Amino acid sequence: MSKLNDAAEATVPLPEPSPRMLPFWVAARRGRLVLPRCGSCGTLHFPALQICSHCLNGDDDREWVEASGRGIVFSFVVMHQVHHPAFAAQVPYAVVDVKLEEGPRIISRLLDVSPDEIRVGMAVQVAFVRASDDFHLPMFRSRRP
C-alpha cells in the first residue's frame, strides 16, 4: 500500500461516505475492492445505487462482492490547472475512468505512469493509497495484460 504525500495529507479532500457506500470504504481500508451486487438480478454497480438500474430492485437487497481489481483505462483526462491546493505539486496529473473486468467503471488516478504514457485500453490493477487512518483510496497501476 502506498501513502499520499505527508505534506498534502492534512489537506487532501476526503470522501464523506454515505451509509450506502460504507462497506466499500471499510473494505478499501483492508486493501480490498468490493462492488455492490443487486440481490435480485445480480448486476454489479459502482457506486452503490438506491435502485438497481437494470431491474429497479430496491436498496435493501444488495450484497457486496470482492472484485478482481483488474481493468482497462476506458478514458482519461490530464489536469493542467490546480483545482485544489493539495494537488498543486502533482500538476499535470491524469484522472482515469477505469472499466473493471466485472463491468462497472470507477474514476480514479493512475500511479507511477506519466500522463503522456497513458493510453485508452491500457491494462491496470487496483492499488490502495493511504490518505488517512480512515481512508485508503483505490487508485490504479499499469499491468501487463
Side-chain angles (χ1 to χ4, degrees), residues 15-145:
E16 293 182 24
S18 67
R20 185 177 297 123
M21 285 298 292
L22 195 55
F24 173 81
W25 294 110
V26 169
R29 207 169 40 236
R30 296 179 179 134
R32 295 176 49 231
L33 181 65
V34 296
L35 300 170
R37 178 171 56 196
C38 175
S40 180
C41 72
T43 299
L44 294 168
H45 298 280
F46 188 83
L49 304 171
Q50 184 173 2
I51 296 174
C52 175
S53 60
H54 183 74
C55 72
L56 304 179
N57 191 39
D59 197 30
D60 55 346
D61 192 15
R62 172 189 314 119
E63 64 178 322
W64 290 84
V65 296
E66 190 151 4
S68 68
R70 293 184 303 272
I72 62 163
V73 174
F74 182 82
S75 182
F76 68 97
V77 63
V78 177
M79 306 301 287
H80 292 277
Q81 294 181 327
V82 177
H83 292 283
H84 192 283
F87 305 114
Q90 299 171 31
V91 170
Y93 62 89
V95 175
V96 293
D97 179 352
V98 172
K99 181 172 177 140
L100 298 170
E101 282 184 350
E102 294 81 5
R105 293 174 22 200
I106 185 169
I107 305 294
S108 188
R109 298 274 304 273
L110 190 55
L111 304 169
D112 304 329
V113 178
S114 67
D116 60 331
E117 296 173 336
I118 300 171
R119 300 289 180 262
V120 169
M122 175 184 278
V124 295
Q125 176 70 42
V126 74
F128 290 89
V129 176
R130 181 184 177 276
S132 74
D133 288 341
D134 293 326
F135 287 100
H136 291 74
L137 304 176
M139 297 190 184
F140 291 84
R141 295 189 188 284
S142 176
R143 70 172 172 87
R144 290 205 163 43

